[in-house]
Amino acid sequence: MGPKLFLIPAEEIFFFVIQTYNTSLLYLFLSKPVFHPVYLRGEKLVHDGRRLRLWRWLGSFIMASMIITGALLVIARGKGFYMGLILTWAVPFALMLWNLAYQFIIQLPLSTTLLPIAAPTLYLWIVDTLALRRGTWVIEPGTKLEWHIWDGLEVEEAIFFLVTNLLIVFGLIAFDNALAILRAFPSQFPVVPILPSPVLLVQALLTPTRAYDMDRITGLRQALDRLKAKSKSFYLASSVFEGRLRIDMIALYSFCRVADDLVDNATTTSEAQHWIAQLTRYLDHCYTNTSEKGSQCRAFVCSTFPESCQDSLLLLPTAYLSPTPLYDLLRGFEIDLQFSSSKNPFPIKDEATLQTYASRVAATVAELCLELVYHHSAAVISEDKRKEIVNSGGRMGIALQYINISRDIAVDASNGRVYLPTSWLKGVGSSPEETISEPGSSEAESLRQRLLDAAMEIYEEAKGAIEQLPIEARGPMRVAVESYVEIGRVLRAPGYTIKAGRATVPKMRRLRVAWHALRQ
C-alpha cells in the first residue's frame, strides 16, 4: 500500500534519510572540537599499550565471523533468516570502514564514537518498541529468532538500528580520518580542495601508516596540549577554524608559547638572553635564502633546543609568514627581561611604552594570524585593503594584551613585574613597589579599570575589520576575539571569580559567548 520505490515503501526511504541526518548531525556536533590530526599514528602503540594492528585484525576477525554466521543463517532459511539478512547486508560495509579507519575508531574520544551510535540507537529502540506493540509493523513469523531485548523489542530490530547507526558513524569517522591525513601532511598532499574528491579521500585512507610524518604529528600533539593548558579562550576559538588554517594557528600559538616559556623559565637573565639569541638565530636559519635552509633549520633546532620544544618549533609555517612580526615578538621578550635589571626594574614608564610592549608581544601575533587567514583563503582582496585589515588586527591585539595585563596584575606582581605604567601609578599616589606588595589595592584596581577602558575603546574601534575578513574566517575570528574580550567584561563586573590569582570566565559562559559570536 502507498507509494514505493523499487518495491521499497516511501516510509522506509524517509526513515533512512531522517536517521542518517539525525545521527550525522549529532556526530558533527560532538566531533567539532576534536583536533583530528593528533589521532593519527604510525606504527606506534595505542595509549593502553596494545598495538593498533592487533586491534585491527581482532576487529576484522569478529566482523568476518559475523558475515559467515549471517550467510549460514540465510542459507538455512529458518528462524534466523532475518538476522542473517541484516548481518550479510551491513557487516561487510562495516568491515571495509573498519579497515580503512580503525585508527580513529579506536582512538577518538568515546563522545564522538560511542555516543553518536548509542544515543540514536536507544531512541530508535524505544520508538520501535512502541510501534511493534501497536502493530504498526511486524516481522514475518518463522524468520525471526523470537529473542527480545526487552518486552516488545525483537532482537532483529535492535540489531538493525544498531548496525545502521554504526555504519553512519563509521563512514563519518572514515571521512574525518581521510581529511586529517590530507591536511596534516602537506609534503604528501600539497594542494587539498575544500571538498576533496572521493578518489583523493580513498587515496589518503590507503596511505601506509609508515609514511606518516610522526615528528609532525608529535609536534601537533604537543602544541595542542600547550594550548589546552595555557589558553582556554584560544583553545575554544581554535576549534571553529577549519582545515590547515586550524593546524597553522595551533602551530603559531605553540611557537609563541615555547618561545615565551624558554625565556620566562630561565633561572637567570643571562640564560633568558641566551634563549632569545638562539630563537633569533633559529629565525635567521628559517629565513635564509639557501636551498638547504630546511635541513639547516632542523639541524640547528635539534642541536640547540630541548627535545620537548623541537617538534613544535619546526611546525612554525615560516614559508608564508613575514619575518618582521616574529623578530618583533622576540624584542618584546627583551622588555620583559628589563624587570630583572637593577638599573631599570620597571620598564613600563608610560602609556607609550605600554603600547610599544603590547605591539611587540600581541599585535605581532594578531598580524601573523591574519597572514595565515589570507594564505589559506581564496578570497581576492586589494593589497591596500589587506594592509588596513592587518593594521586593525594589530590594534585588536593591543586591546587583548591590555585585557591580559588587567587580568594578571596579581600574578605579575608575584613575579616582581608591574605592567601598569609608572606614570599612571604616580598619578594615583602609588608606585610599582607598592603594587608588588599590595596588588589588590584600591589604586591598582582603579588603574585596572582605566586599562580596561583603554582596551575596550580600541576593541570598539577595531572590531569592524573582522567583518571584512574572508567569510570562512569571520566566525572563528569573532570567537577568538570575543572569548578573550569576555575576560575584560568579567573584570569590569563586581565580585568576579578569582582562580590561581586570575579572573576566570565560567565554561558555560565561554560556550555561550562562542555560540553568539558564530551566529552574528
Side-chain angles (χ1 to χ4, degrees):
M1 300 294 290
K4 298 180 180 180
L5 179 64
F6 302 116
L7 301 180
I8 305 172
E11 294 85 354
E12 285 287 304
I13 296 172
F14 175 76
F15 164 75
F16 280 116
V17 171
I18 201 67
Q19 179 195 20
T20 303
Y21 176 81
N22 288 338
T23 302
S24 298
L25 196 63
L26 179 61
Y27 172 84
L28 293 172
F29 176 77
L30 294 172
S31 66
K32 182 62 180 173
V34 177
F35 186 48
H36 290 98
V38 300
Y39 292 96
L40 294 171
R41 296 289 188 274
E43 301 297 329
K44 293 191 176 182
L45 299 178
V46 195
H47 61 84
D48 62 359
R50 284 169 286 191
R51 293 188 179 278
L52 283 169
R53 189 171 291 175
L54 174 61
W55 279 104
R56 176 186 182 181
W57 294 121
L58 179 60
S60 297
F61 173 76
I62 292 172
M63 290 187 206
S65 300
M66 293 171 68
I67 295 170
I68 294 170
T69 301
L72 293 174
L73 290 173
V74 171
I75 293 169
R77 300 189 71 84
K79 288 187 174 183
F81 183 69
Y82 184 28
M83 179 65 76
L85 288 175
I86 294 172
L87 294 178
T88 54
W89 162 72
V91 180
F93 292 100
L95 177 60
M96 177 188 70
L97 292 168
W98 169 263
N99 278 280
L100 289 173
Y102 65 96
Q103 282 199 1
F104 271 32
I105 294 170
I106 292 170
Q107 295 181 103
L108 285 177
L110 293 179
S111 60
T112 62
T113 54
L114 180 61
L115 185 56
I117 295 173
T121 299
L122 180 60
Y123 167 75
L124 290 172
W125 282 1
I126 294 170
V127 172
D128 192 60
T129 300
L130 297 175
L132 287 171
R133 286 177 179 174
R134 291 180 59 186
T136 305
W137 59 75
V138 295
I139 302 175
E140 184 179 346
T143 64
K144 57 184 179 179
L145 295 170
E146 303 291 353
W147 298 345
H148 294 79
I149 300 297
W150 57 60
D151 183 36
L153 180 61
E154 306 274 4
V155 68
E156 290 85 356
E157 289 287 283
I159 294 297
F160 173 78
F161 292 128
L162 174 62
V163 297
T164 50
N165 281 315
L166 182 142
L167 286 174
I168 294 167
V169 173
F170 273 23
L172 291 167
I173 291 173
F175 183 80
D176 280 339
N177 194 350
L179 284 182
I181 295 168
L182 292 173
R183 292 166 173 173
F185 305 128
S187 60
Q188 294 172 268
F189 302 97
V191 179
V192 178
I194 296 176
L195 292 175
S197 68
V199 173
L200 187 58
L201 292 171
V202 172
Q203 182 184 346
L205 288 172
L206 295 178
T207 302
T209 55
R210 62 179 177 275
Y212 291 177
D213 182 351
M214 286 311 298
D215 289 339
R216 181 171 172 80
I217 297 303
T218 299
L220 288 173
R221 200 175 304 128
Q222 293 172 352
L224 188 68
D225 289 343
R226 287 190 187 92
L227 183 56
K228 281 183 181 178
K230 300 290 187 176
S231 178
K232 293 182 175 63
S233 298
F234 194 72
Y235 176 67
L236 174 63
S238 73
S239 67
V240 291
F241 284 99
E242 295 287 348
R244 286 183 176 170
L245 175 57
R246 183 181 186 183
I247 292 174
D248 284 343
M249 285 286 193
I250 292 174
L252 174 61
Y253 176 87
S254 183
F255 168 80
C256 297
R257 187 77 263 164
V258 164
D260 188 54
D261 287 347
L262 284 171
V263 176
D264 278 354
N265 295 339
T267 54
T268 64
T269 301
S270 59
E271 183 186 351
Q273 290 171 336
H274 164 78
W275 286 123
I276 291 175
Q278 296 300 73
L279 287 165
T280 302
R281 289 183 62 198
Y282 162 68
L283 293 178
D284 292 342
H285 281 290
C286 290
Y287 288 103
T288 186
N289 291 320
T290 66
S291 58
E292 299 179 355
K293 68 177 182 180
S295 58
Q296 290 176 353
C297 186
R298 175 173 289 275
F300 177 75
V301 167
C302 293
S303 63
T304 305
F305 293 97
E307 187 175 352
S308 60
C309 302
Q310 292 172 8
D311 290 328
S312 291
L313 287 172
L314 292 170
L315 283 178
L316 185 67
T318 54
Y320 37 88
L321 288 176
S322 300
T324 301
L326 291 167
Y327 283 108
D328 284 346
L329 176 65
L330 300 183
R331 291 171 64 202
F333 295 158
E334 291 172 351
I335 296 178
D336 286 327
L337 293 186
Q338 294 179 33
F339 284 103
S340 303
S341 168
S342 57
K343 295 180 180 180
N344 186 26
F346 301 108
I348 310 299
K349 299 297 184 185
D350 50 32
E351 190 170 351
T353 314
L354 174 64
Q355 186 166 340
T356 298
Y357 173 73
S359 296
R360 290 180 181 175
V361 300
T364 52
V365 179
E367 291 169 12
L368 291 166
C369 287
L370 292 179
E371 286 190 6
L372 291 176
V373 166
Y374 283 110
H375 172 78
H376 289 288
S377 174
V380 178
I381 185 173
S382 70
E383 190 60 30
D384 289 343
K385 190 65 178 177
R386 175 172 168 169
K387 286 180 180 178
E388 178 186 331
I389 294 172
V390 170
N391 181 61
S392 294
R395 293 287 292 161
M396 185 65 78
I398 291 173
L400 300 186
Q401 183 62 22
Y402 283 5
I403 292 172
N404 186 60
I405 291 171
S406 300
R407 181 194 63 183
D408 292 347
I409 290 175
V411 173
D412 291 331
S414 67
N415 293 320
R417 297 180 178 185
V418 178
Y419 289 94
L420 295 171
T422 302
S423 61
W424 288 11
L425 289 165
K426 288 180 178 179
V428 294
S430 186
S431 67
E433 291 83 358
E434 290 178 12
T435 304
I436 289 175
S437 61
E438 196 176 348
S441 67
S442 58
E443 292 83 1
E445 186 60 35
S446 69
L447 294 184
R448 186 203 308 274
Q449 297 306 317
R450 179 177 174 181
L451 188 56
L452 286 171
D453 288 342
M456 292 302 179
E457 183 178 342
I458 299 172
Y459 159 75
E460 292 294 340
E461 162 208 319
K463 70 177 183 179
I466 295 175
E467 304 312 313
Q468 301 177 57
L469 291 172
I471 190 168
E472 67 272 16
R474 289 175 198 168
M477 200 61 74
R478 270 193 235 107
V479 173
V481 170
E482 293 299 329
S483 297
Y484 219 90
V485 170
E486 195 66 15
I487 297 172
R489 296 189 182 106
V490 167
L491 287 167
R492 299 180 97 180
Y496 51 79
T497 303
I498 298 292
K499 185 177 180 181
R502 294 172 169 172
T504 59
V505 181
K507 184 175 182 180
M508 289 308 298
R509 181 168 173 175
R510 290 200 306 271
L511 292 174
R512 199 161 53 243
V513 167
W515 176 251
H516 287 309
L518 285 173
R519 293 183 64 191
Q520 289 180 21

